[in-house]
Amino acid sequence: CSKEISRETFFLGNPMNPKQHCNGAHICLVGKNRFQNEMFITTLKHMHQCQNTFFTIASLSDATEGLWRNDNRTFIFYLDCFGLDCRKLDALMAFACQKVQTGNLMALFNFTGDTGLEKKALRYGVRGFFYLDDTPADFCRGIRVMLNGEIWLSRKKMSEMILAELKPLLPDRYPAKAGTEHLTAREKEVLTHLTKGASNETIASELHISVHTLRTHLYHIYRKIKVHNRIQASLWAENNL
């Protein structure tokens, strides 16, 4: 039941600013939930005035060359992850990696954040991740980002992946449980939020303080624990809090 509610939120949202759109792209939604995918396309076109060209197919096996031999534009294939477990999703990405022609892009949508497959998906060539609670605005911004040669991935997930890669490289950089006595309770709260990859605006909102006050806290934290940026501070917090 909760998954169904989360799925519905993917189709809702307020009309977007025209600057959020990336018009003229070729978007192919791949999945057996044809009715929901058609509804989503209708929402984008009529509620959000999205001018991209959309296709829906049940399987990548249906993606014949004629589908993308329209012109020289890049196609983005969105693989519907709804209801797929890790094994099936892994098999889908492996097949898509072989099927999708060079020059086109792959993205996952209706993706859940608890699979831990983001890193593996990047190796398969996936360049966009759209979660169950993302909005049409996120979808349109992601199209523009991917066509610009970048990866569309939540800041939190990206931070988790970077920290996981860096942590083994710096085993002795910060002695365990060192220096925590110099931090205030509020500064420890800020550090806890940093380890989650939260932005300044999000942390300030959670702690009910201004962004300016948060920056002051960060300045004092960096000085006390002798680091230079938020990634180093996050690593320190992972080892000491």
Side-chain angles (χ1 to χ4, degrees):
C1 180
S2 60
K3 286 188 176 181
E4 290 297 332
I5 294 173
S6 296
R7 183 179 174 81
E8 297 244 345
T9 64
F10 192 84
F11 301 96
L12 302 178
N14 297 319
M16 292 171 286
N17 186 303
K19 292 182 179 180
Q20 293 178 307
H21 289 288
C22 179
N23 295 329
H26 283 53
I27 312 297
C28 184
L29 302 185
V30 183
K32 296 180 180 180
N33 300 300
R34 194 73 173 266
F35 177 70
Q36 290 90 340
N37 291 342
E38 292 287 357
M39 283 179 56
F40 180 48
I41 292 172
T42 300
T43 300
L44 285 173
K45 286 184 174 181
H46 296 285
M47 184 175 179
H48 300 284
Q49 294 79 51
C50 184
Q51 300 300 312
N52 292 306
T53 301
F54 288 92
F55 307 85
T56 60
I57 55 177
S59 167
L60 279 170
S61 299
D62 300 329
T64 61
E65 272 190 49
L67 176 63
W68 51 64
R69 191 180 285 171
N70 188 306
D71 50 31
N72 293 323
R73 294 177 184 173
T74 299
F75 274 76
I76 304 179
F77 288 87
Y78 283 84
L79 310 181
D80 190 353
C81 304
F82 188 71
L84 299 182
D85 58 25
C86 290
R87 182 181 59 81
K88 291 180 179 178
L89 183 54
D90 187 27
L92 174 62
M93 290 189 296
F95 179 69
C97 183
Q98 299 175 351
K99 182 70 176 177
V100 174
Q101 292 184 349
T102 302
N104 295 306
L105 299 168
M106 284 194 298
L108 304 178
F109 78 107
N110 286 329
F111 191 59
T112 60
D114 58 356
T115 62
L117 286 177
E118 285 88 352
K119 186 175 178 180
K120 193 169 188 178
L122 288 171
R123 293 191 183 124
Y124 277 125
V126 172
R127 290 298 175 261
F129 300 84
F130 299 84
Y131 298 87
L132 281 166
D133 56 354
D134 282 343
T135 66
D138 295 322
F139 191 86
C140 285
R141 283 193 293 267
I143 294 173
R144 187 173 67 249
V145 166
M146 287 187 289
L147 289 177
N148 197 39
E150 302 174 55
I151 294 172
W152 181 259
L153 177 63
S154 76
R155 184 170 182 169
K156 178 179 178 182
K157 287 293 180 182
M158 183 67 78
S159 297
E160 289 175 357
M161 291 168 60
I162 292 173
L163 289 172
E165 290 291 327
L166 290 179
K167 192 172 180 179
L169 302 178
L170 302 170
D172 301 318
R173 177 65 179 83
Y174 307 113
K177 305 302 178 185
T180 57
E181 67 275 7
H182 301 300
L183 297 171
T184 66
R186 177 64 87 187
E187 288 167 349
K188 290 178 182 179
E189 284 184 296
V190 171
L191 279 170
T192 299
H193 283 283
L194 277 186
T195 62
K196 300 176 182 177
S199 65
N200 284 0
E201 290 75 14
T202 300
I203 297 174
S205 176
E206 290 286 335
L207 299 181
H208 306 291
I209 58 177
S210 69
V211 174
H212 175 74
T213 299
L214 175 65
R215 291 194 184 111
T216 300
H217 284 313
L218 289 172
Y219 172 77
H220 291 304
I221 289 170
Y222 293 170
R223 289 189 62 188
K224 288 181 179 180
I225 65 177
K226 296 180 174 57
V227 300
H228 303 289
N229 55 55
R230 63 196 301 124
I231 290 181
Q232 291 178 346
S234 295
L235 283 169
W236 186 93
E238 289 277 359
N239 284 279
N240 293 282
L241 293 182

